[in-house]
Amino acid sequence: MQIEAVQGDLTRERVDAIVNAANSTLLGGGGVDGAIHAAAGPALLEECRRVRKTTFREGLPVGEAVATSAGELAARWVVHTVGPSWNRGQRDEAQLASCFTRSLDVAAEVGARSVAFPAVSAGAYGWAMGTVADVAVRTVRAWDAARPGEVDLVRFVLFGATALAEFERALGEVD
Ligand code: AR6
């Protein structure tokens, strides 16, 4: 698997699946979630509503993931995951790791071979970017080791230079 980090706007990624740092309602919000819904158009919200009515009536749990189609985005699927909120006291790295593991599980299930992630939980949810980068890189590598050949490319798409630097550092540190 190729794992890379770039600076950019996740909504413009031409990969099979982009991952949304959503909240449990799946009904949109600010940050990357708001940008994805704005770029995808109303079809995405419609499908999220359907997922809520059928599969996740109580909301999508923290650390879980679910795939929908991607509306008008260039990507084919949006994989929605809910990161833990540091600001609300959700400080378990295993929950954050689960977002990356479950997102890749779900992406592989729908047949995605290239997946782009944002820095889940590093915005409104308040986790330190360096921690998110470490957990993200470590977890994606472990997933690939467990399921080799299933996903060819994971790209971390970061909004700012500081975020990119943290992911580049994490990628450069072999554990
Ligand atoms: N492309 C790439 N990265 C982005 C983009 C973009 N278009 N927009 C923002 N980011 P956040 P969270 C970065 O807050 O911390 C929402 O309201 C951003 O700079 O989007 O998991 C949801 O509905 C930051 O580094 O996600 C939830 O309620 C990173 O994406 C809550 O926020 C994640 O920031 C989720 O909070």
Side-chain angles (χ1 to χ4, degrees):
M1 180 195 274
Q2 188 181 334
I3 308 177
E4 60 189 31
V6 300
Q7 200 175 329
D9 178 352
L10 185 68
T11 65
R12 304 182 70 86
E13 280 297 311
R14 299 186 164 276
V15 287
D16 293 337
I18 64 168
V19 176
N20 182 16
N23 59 60
S24 288
T25 72
L26 291 179
L27 301 180
V32 75
D33 191 9
I36 287 171
H37 275 277
L44 181 60
L45 187 56
E46 245 340 283
E47 208 178 328
C48 286
R49 286 212 176 93
R50 204 155 51 233
V51 169
R52 278 298 305 276
K53 277 195 195 129
T54 54
T55 322
F56 290 104
R57 297 182 69 90
E58 312 284 299
L60 186 65
V62 173
E64 258 306 329
V66 66
T68 64
S69 59
E72 292 165 37
L73 294 171
R76 291 185 62 191
W77 292 281
V78 176
V79 174
H80 308 261
T81 191
V82 182
S85 173
W86 181 275
N87 295 334
R88 287 189 220 134
Q90 296 168 335
R91 300 182 177 186
D92 181 1
E93 282 190 14
Q95 276 193 328
L96 183 59
S98 175
C99 291
F100 292 92
T101 303
R102 292 292 302 136
S103 292
L104 287 172
D105 288 346
V106 164
E109 239 168 70
V110 297
R113 304 205 59 93
S114 54
V115 183
F117 280 94
V120 178
S121 287
Y125 282 175
W127 280 65
M129 188 62 74
T131 308
V132 173
D134 287 337
V135 170
V137 169
R138 189 199 315 140
T139 306
V140 169
R141 282 183 178 147
W143 190 90
D144 184 49
R147 300 177 64 168
E150 289 198 50
V151 170
D152 304 317
L153 171 70
V154 165
R155 180 180 293 146
F156 297 108
V157 181
L158 294 324
F159 231 20
T162 320
L164 177 63
E166 287 294 352
F167 274 76
E168 283 177 337
R169 176 197 53 72
L171 283 167
E173 286 171 7
V174 179
D175 46 34

